Amino acid sequence: MALLEVRDLRLSFGGLKVLHDISFSVEKGAINSLIGPNGAGKTSLFNCLTGFYKPKGGSISLGGRPITGLPPHRITALGLARTFQNIRLFKEMTVLENAMSGQHCRSRHGIMSAILHLPAQRREEEAIRATAMRWLDFVGIEQHAHRRAGGLSYGDQRRLELARALASTPELILLDEPAAGLNEREKLDLVHLIRRIRDETGVTVLLIEHDMGLVMQLSEKIVVFDYGQKIADGPPEAVRTDPRVIEAYLGTEE
Amino acid sequence: MIDEVRTMPTAVQPQLMRWSVVLPGLAALAAALVLPQFANGYVTEVATTALLYVVLCLGLNIVVGYAGLLDLGYAAFFAVGAYTSGILTAEFGFNFWLTIPVAMAAACVAGIIIGAPTLRLRSDYLAIVTLGFGEIVRIIARNLDITGGASGLIGIERPEIFGFRLMQVQHFYYAFLVLALLTAFVCLSVERSRMGRAWFYVRYDEDAAAGIGINRVTAKLQAYMMGAVIASVAGCLYAAKMTAISPESFTFNQSLLILLGVVLGGIGRIPGVVLGAVLVALLPEVLRGAGTYRPLVTAVALLAIMLFRPNGLWPDKRV
Ligand SMILES: Nc1ncnc2c1ncn2[C@@H]1O[C@H](COP(=O)(O)OP(=O)(O)O)[C@@H](O)[C@H]1O
Ligand SMILES: [Mg+2]
């Protein structure tokens, strides 16, 4: 069974239908992409998957467990992490504190044990910090651990968002336009990093991306959206030559 | 270097205790310890009030500073503590120390009743609901028999510790000093912990916090309840010191004064909040000489602070 199963997902805002009966799946251990013109509903789909939007109908399951309509923090705890299209870091906090946030749902000590300075609580704090440092190291920004997150370069902020999401030890990570605003060099590094996420940690990746070169290079499967509908779903070669995809892109993209 | 910031202290980073904070802190503590030996009764009385505000402001800072929730009725929890302790000692003969856990429990219950429904909503609602709650508690206290009505509750028992009865203003000064230190320790411990960080995450970006696995409603509710509990303990000691309490000690003005202390010194950070609390207690005394111009001078001073130090006198660099 696929890791992520989306069945007949529907979403609308007032009269505006944003997603029409979307069905697709992501296999465990895959790198898949979601593409489509601006406004096609890609981010909205991510928001449904992560519990930020409540779909009007349909179902979502992660590893066989239904997650439709659960609140975001429950979904993260069940193993689905995300990054945001417009970076959403805790800018005024340090890089390390940002990465530590991912560990919140994997730890349990509360106010009382902090006040009493229980040894178990201290050990857990050490572990949270160590895990966060490991992920900062993984994405290559551990040297900035004690800097203010908002002061990082744009590329490093994207890396930090990745580290933060990975620190929640997800099974599936959703990346919303991770290459947006990066230069060619940084894009190459990103391709390499995304491959390492899958190969070294076994985390499944689903990404939204506009850079076709990057998408074709990385993905085993591509899902294409246009006006809230899925118009294609398959391996890169098949999608590239699909007449509906060509039409959607030639017709509407800049 | 604009990027180098003070790290929010985590338990495992003791090197981040800055000397620039520790040394003045120790000096202030030493001065606080010996103050009643040198000061007259009036000064000790004012200093005791200042310590009360330190406790209340540190408690409200958890709600406003850490979790970013605007609470306009914080004095209500102060009242819950004072009346719970006052009623139990004066009318039921409870030992003072036993009333503290009861007051804490009462504050928790009140916190859940107010917080659980409202903290799900947008934060603006909380300001309105807490404002109403503050007034409701005061009006209930005015109208019940058991609370002594408008004239208040009298004959509250003075606490005894190891056979020693707290009577004089000096005794209560030290009692409030211990409570203030305890509160500061609790705040420091929690702000460097998992839940403390969760409050900051929620304060800075609620959606990102939810997206990374933090239950924002639980986090806010815990901050709100913790603030409530601290105010209730302050209320117990306040009732014991005054031996008589009336609804007029717990007005909207009182809530605003506590909030002012939090904002004045620098929201979020303990040294700033302590400074703000002390200023709130001292300002009326210092300005006594200004006579009828006092409100005007106070207003000008506040405006000046808002204009020139919008993040408070001793701001949290995170803001
Ligand atoms: N919260 C919302 N309220 C109203 N309309 C929305 C909301 N979120 C998205 N939409 C609409 O849904 C459509 C798809 O947007 P989006 O998912 O951001 O597209 P994409 O990420 O593919 O560019 C757009 O027309 C957008 O205006
Ligand atoms: Mg988008």
Side-chain angles (χ1 to χ4, degrees):
Chain A
M1 193 209 309
L3 176 61
L4 178 74
E5 289 273 6
V6 178
R7 286 274 155 268
D8 305 318
L9 201 68
R10 264 175 294 137
L11 174 73
S12 46
F13 292 106
L16 178 71
K17 285 193 175 167
V18 173
L19 297 174
H20 305 255
D21 300 300
I22 300 290
S23 298
F24 71 98
S25 61
V26 177
E27 295 296 328
K28 191 168 172 51
I31 298 178
N32 287 1
S33 294
L34 181 59
I35 65 171
N38 276 327
K42 307 180 296 295
T43 298
S44 299
L45 174 82
F46 272 19
N47 282 336
C48 288
L49 298 181
T50 51
F52 282 93
Y53 290 170
K54 302 284 169 242
K56 279 262 146 49
S59 69
I60 308 161
S61 72
L62 181 73
R65 266 177 307 208
I67 58 168
T68 330
L70 292 183
H73 68 273
R74 293 275 314 278
I75 292 176
T76 311
L78 287 171
L80 207 169
R82 74 174 293 178
T83 64
F84 293 88
Q85 182 170 347
N86 43 348
I87 306 176
R88 296 285 286 270
L89 292 172
F90 309 112
K91 287 198 169 63
E92 307 302 330
M93 298 173 78
T94 66
V95 169
L96 179 61
E97 284 160 1
N98 270 270
M100 286 165 87
S101 70
Q103 279 279 297
H104 184 89
C105 61
R106 304 289 170 230
S107 45
R108 59 186 185 85
H109 280 279
I111 292 173
M112 276 323 283
S113 44
I115 293 172
L116 299 174
H117 291 253
L118 295 182
Q121 185 262 348
R122 305 294 289 269
R123 276 197 301 276
E124 190 180 78
E125 282 289 311
E126 291 280 357
I128 291 172
R129 182 186 147 95
T131 308
M133 277 311 276
R134 238 192 18 253
W135 287 112
L136 290 179
D137 186 48
F138 183 86
V139 303
I141 56 170
E142 77 286 1
Q143 71 276 24
H144 300 315
H146 299 292
R147 283 178 60 186
R148 189 176 145 267
L152 291 181
S153 73
Y154 190 78
D156 284 347
Q157 293 197 17
R158 287 233 173 257
R159 284 169 187 272
L160 176 54
E161 237 199 343
L162 262 174
R164 181 177 73 178
L166 287 167
S168 71
T169 56
E171 285 195 71
L172 172 64
I173 187 168
L174 307 179
L175 311 178
D176 198 344
E177 304 200 17
L182 301 188
N183 61 37
E184 288 308 313
R185 229 208 85 88
E186 289 173 324
K187 277 185 189 174
L188 273 179
D189 289 345
L190 181 72
V191 168
H192 181 62
L193 185 58
I194 292 174
R195 286 227 175 86
R196 281 181 56 219
I197 291 176
R198 193 263 309 267
D199 298 342
E200 292 176 24
T201 73
V203 175
T204 306
V205 181
L206 175 63
L207 65 139
I208 294 175
E209 193 40 71
H210 281 303
D211 186 308
M212 278 309 142
L214 192 147
V215 167
M216 296 290 163
Q217 244 185 82
L218 267 175
S219 344
E220 286 115 26
K221 189 176 90 168
I222 299 174
V223 177
V224 190
F225 274 23
D226 194 18
Y227 293 112
Q229 278 170 330
K230 186 176 93 169
I231 57 167
D233 180 348
E237 318 78 64
V239 164
R240 194 188 346 227
T241 52
D242 189 306
R244 291 188 64 187
V245 177
I246 293 168
E247 191 197 331
Y249 271 85
L250 292 180
T252 54
E253 267 287 60
E254 51 275 291
Chain B
M1 285 267 290
I2 202 152
D3 290 346
E4 298 297 329
V5 288
R6 191 186 66 90
T7 314
M8 201 185 97
T10 45
V12 282
Q13 293 174 289
Q15 76 272 21
L16 291 164
M17 286 292 283
R18 285 243 218 93
W19 286 114
S20 61
V21 173
V22 172
L23 284 183
L26 286 177
L29 178 61
L33 279 171
V34 298
L35 181 130
Q37 316 305 323
F38 299 101
N40 60 28
Y42 163 73
V43 171
T44 310
E45 184 73 49
V46 173
T48 308
T49 307
L51 288 171
L52 167 68
Y53 277 103
V54 167
V55 176
L56 290 171
C57 290
L58 284 174
L60 182 60
N61 183 51
I62 295 172
V63 184
V64 181
Y66 294 172
L69 305 165
L70 186 54
D71 183 345
L72 293 178
Y74 189 63
F77 295 116
F78 181 40
V80 165
Y83 274 102
T84 305
S85 180
I87 291 168
L88 288 179
T89 57
E91 319 219 340
F92 297 96
F94 266 59
N95 178 308
F96 168 77
W97 303 104
L98 286 180
T99 67
I100 293 180
V102 181
M104 288 165 90
C108 276
V109 172
I112 290 174
I113 292 172
I114 300 303
T118 30
L119 290 171
R120 288 174 198 286
L121 308 171
R122 278 165 40 92
S123 26
D124 331 17
Y125 291 101
L126 186 72
I128 297 162
V129 172
T130 52
L131 178 68
F133 173 59
E135 285 304 282
I136 287 168
V137 166
R138 192 177 62 85
I139 290 165
I140 290 176
R142 268 185 82 91
N143 289 292
L144 288 185
D145 281 338
I146 196 162
T147 55
S151 55
L153 196 64
I154 52 167
I156 297 167
E157 195 69 20
R158 293 215 127 136
E160 204 172 283
I161 185 162
F162 305 125
F164 178 82
R165 194 171 284 278
L166 302 184
M167 298 285 287
Q168 294 160 358
V169 60
Q170 281 92 338
H171 303 161
F172 281 99
Y173 172 86
Y174 282 112
F176 272 106
L177 183 61
V178 168
L179 182 59
L181 289 173
L182 207 61
T183 309
F185 172 78
V186 163
C187 289
L188 266 175
S189 308
V190 176
E191 99 173 12
R192 295 149 184 244
S193 77
R194 171 176 172 271
M195 271 320 291
R197 282 191 303 274
W199 293 335
F200 284 100
Y201 300 141
V202 169
R203 164 179 157 194
Y204 285 127
D205 190 332
E206 229 180 291
D207 287 334
I212 201 61
I214 289 159
N215 184 340
R216 38 191 157 174
V217 179
T218 311
K220 288 179 188 177
L221 190 58
Q222 289 202 18
Y224 189 62
M225 285 171 61
M226 192 171 160
V229 165
I230 289 175
S232 74
V233 178
C236 293
L237 197 53
Y238 175 78
K241 171 178 177 281
M242 303 305 285
T243 67
I245 50 174
S246 86
E248 297 324 301
S249 310
F250 311 102
T251 55
F252 175 56
N253 250 339
Q254 183 72 272
S255 294
L256 273 191
L257 222 52
I258 303 166
L259 185 61
L260 183 65
V262 175
V263 179
L264 199 61
I267 205 163
R269 225 177 126 217
I270 292 173
V273 172
V274 171
L275 178 69
V278 171
L279 284 180
V280 160
L282 294 191
L283 216 57
E285 306 301 327
V286 174
L287 294 180
R288 236 172 241 290
T292 49
Y293 290 106
R294 213 165 80 182
L296 179 69
V297 177
T298 313
V300 170
L302 290 179
L303 274 177
I305 289 169
M306 282 185 332
L307 282 176
F308 298 111
R309 311 264 334 185
N311 291 332
L313 295 173
W314 194 351
D316 177 355
K317 290 225 182 70
R318 286 172 303 224
V319 178

